[in-house]
Structures are given as structure tokens and as C-alpha cells.
Amino acid sequence: MNRLKQTFLLVFTISLFTGCDFINNVSTYKDTTQGFVESLIEEDYEKSVSFMAIENEAYKNTNIDTLKLSLGNFRKIIVDNFGKKLDYKFMTANKTFSTVEGESTAPNTTLAQVEFSNDTEFGVFEITFDDKSNKILHIKTLDLKEKIPNMIWFWLFGILAICVPIFNIWIIRKIKKSNLKKKWLKYIAVIFLNVPAITYSAVYGLSFSLLSFQILFGISFSYMGYLSSAWTFGIPLGGLYWLWKLNKKTEDDTTENERIAK
């Protein structure tokens, strides 16, 4: 038991420090991207280069003047499509390990996405960061230019989605207070049988997935930029079934009591 506790404590400590490093890196990725793009828009290419990992092996044979020229072309794409005044929001950062050639991120790098927007539209930068310096190795804009969505509908849908875990918790409490046998099986049904799933994406609206199970009381939520903001909830079939069974049992008990009374 002591060994198990020590192992758990070690894993928890490592996870805690890893989480802190990740949070720090998230802030660094956003700030680095913002600094790079803003200096790019101002045509300060010398400063833009300072945000790039030019000391990395990948830039060994790169001519700096040629690099600055390509940055000028990249600037034109951004300004022509989105203007000069942009806001930035971190979306995701990950490392991919795959046995399929070409699908893994390069060693000692992290692939991140940072959303940028003007007053009406947004796009996404995909950036490869060097892990040693946390500077930019490669950056590109994804083939994406969408109108900024009305987030009021997104949050209103969230109120509907939150009703599902509230309903499931209520059903679990009713099961707990009942005299049903093997209650743990009923709990599992309520927690896992939340299907089919309905998703509302801030950008793409409603979608429906017939065989998508939403566990942990039937709801999931993400809020990482406009593109990745979505609510998903499963129809609480397990909860609805046991609500019907409990009500039916109550009616049967009432009928039985009335019959006995007569």
C-alpha cells in the first residue's frame, strides 16, 4: 500500500510540474506568435527573425536576406486578407507520435495553433516551435477565413446542454433513494447511455451523431478559439429509461396499496 501511495504521489508530482510547464509554454507560444506577426506587419523583418529559431539545424544553409524576402510575401498574405490590426488567441499545442511516416511531429518540436482575428473575420496560424528555444521554426496560415460567429447562440445552447448532467444527477439520486436492487448497474446506465449526441459548434452550428456516446453525465465542452468552441450533449436515454421505470414502479406500488386497502 505504501509503495502504491508513493507511486501515485510521484505520478501526481510529475503531472503537476508538466502541467505548469505546459501553461508557461502556452503563454510563450501566443506571445511569440503575436510578436512575430506584429513586427512582420510593421515590416520590421529584423525583429521578426529574432522570434525565429534560426540557430536550429533546419536553418543551417538558409540565407537571412532570402528568409526576409519570404517573410515579406507572408506579410502580404496576412494584410491582404485580414488587415493590420489583429487579436490573438491560443488554441492547441501537441506532439504527435505515429508509426506512419510523415504523421509525427519532428523531434524536439511542438505543433501549435493560434487563432487571429480582425473585427469581422478570423483565421488560424499553424506554427512549429523549437522546444529548446520556444521560437518559431515554421509558420503558415491554414486555408481558413471565417466570419466571427455570434457567441450568444453558443452560450444559450450551453444552458440546454447543462440540463443533461443536472437531469442525470437527479435520476441517480432518485435511484439511490429507491429500493431497487443492483443500483450500481442503474448508475452505469445513466452515466454511459447518453446517445445519440447533438453538437453545437460556434462556427459550424448544429450537427448530429447517431453513435456518439457522451459519458461523464452526458456532456462535453471545449472553448479554445472560435474554431474549437463546441458543446456536445447526449440524449440521456439511460436516465429517461430509469425515470420511466421509477414512475411505473411508483404507480404499481400505489395500485397495490389501493388494492390491499380495499
Side-chain angles (χ1 to χ4, degrees):
M1 183 61 70
N2 288 335
R3 184 177 294 274
L4 181 62
K5 289 181 179 179
Q6 291 173 357
T7 303
F8 176 79
L9 183 61
L10 178 61
V11 171
F12 175 78
T13 304
I14 293 172
S15 300
L16 182 63
F17 281 107
T18 301
C20 290
D21 288 342
F22 178 75
I23 291 171
N24 290 333
N25 286 342
V26 163
S27 178
T28 300
Y29 295 153
K30 176 182 171 293
D31 292 344
T32 299
T33 303
Q34 182 172 347
F36 171 80
V37 176
E38 287 180 352
S39 58
L40 198 68
I41 290 173
E42 294 168 2
E43 299 184 81
D44 187 349
Y45 299 121
E46 193 69 36
K47 187 176 180 180
S48 292
V49 170
S50 71
F51 289 100
M52 302 184 70
I54 57 174
E55 68 281 358
N56 189 280
E57 186 71 17
Y59 286 98
K60 184 175 64 173
N61 298 318
T62 300
N63 183 281
I64 298 300
D65 292 332
T66 303
L67 176 61
K68 290 178 181 178
L69 184 63
S70 66
L71 292 179
N73 295 331
F74 186 54
R75 174 192 180 277
K76 187 175 187 306
I77 292 172
I78 297 169
V79 173
D80 287 352
N81 284 279
F82 296 95
K84 295 183 178 181
K85 187 173 177 59
L86 302 175
D87 294 316
Y88 305 84
K89 185 180 293 184
F90 173 81
M91 291 178 63
T92 62
N94 59 75
K95 294 175 179 288
T96 303
F97 301 95
S98 175
T99 56
V100 180
E101 186 176 355
E103 291 189 2
S104 298
T105 50
N108 301 314
T109 65
T110 299
L111 186 65
Q113 290 186 344
V114 174
E115 186 178 87
F116 61 97
S117 61
N118 53 29
D119 292 334
T120 58
E121 296 171 314
F122 75 92
V124 176
F125 290 121
E126 187 173 83
I127 314 117
T128 302
F129 284 94
D130 173 48
D131 288 343
K132 293 181 180 178
S133 62
N134 281 335
K135 291 185 178 182
I136 296 170
L137 270 175
H138 306 289
I139 183 170
K140 66 178 182 179
T141 57
L142 298 184
D143 187 17
L144 175 75
K145 186 179 180 183
E146 296 282 350
K147 288 185 178 180
I148 293 176
N150 185 345
M151 297 301 286
I152 292 175
W153 294 110
F154 175 78
W155 294 115
L156 286 175
F157 186 87
I159 295 173
L160 176 62
I162 289 170
C163 290
V164 174
I166 292 173
F167 171 76
N168 281 340
I169 291 170
W170 177 64
I171 293 298
I172 286 174
R173 286 177 61 85
K174 285 180 72 71
I175 293 171
K176 183 178 180 181
K177 293 177 180 179
S178 72
N179 57 2
L180 293 172
K181 297 179 179 179
K182 295 184 178 180
K183 293 180 181 180
W184 64 275
L185 287 174
K186 283 73 173 175
Y187 298 152
I188 290 175
V190 173
I191 291 172
F192 284 89
L193 293 181
N194 297 285
V195 64
I198 299 172
T199 298
Y200 185 86
S201 165
V203 176
Y204 300 115
L206 282 171
S207 61
F208 181 83
S209 182
L210 186 61
L211 295 177
S212 177
F213 287 78
Q214 295 298 307
I215 60 173
L216 296 178
F217 299 109
I219 188 173
S220 62
F221 168 72
S222 64
Y223 186 63
M224 294 181 291
Y226 297 118
L227 190 63
S228 297
S229 293
W231 290 94
T232 299
F233 71 87
I235 304 299
L237 294 183
L240 290 170
Y241 173 77
W242 282 109
L243 176 62
W244 172 74
K245 290 287 287 184
L246 288 168
N247 287 339
K248 187 174 183 298
K249 187 176 186 302
T250 302
E251 291 174 3
D252 291 344
D253 290 345
T254 301
T255 303
E256 180 65 18
N257 290 336
E258 290 175 351
R259 188 184 67 79
I260 294 172
K262 291 179 181 178

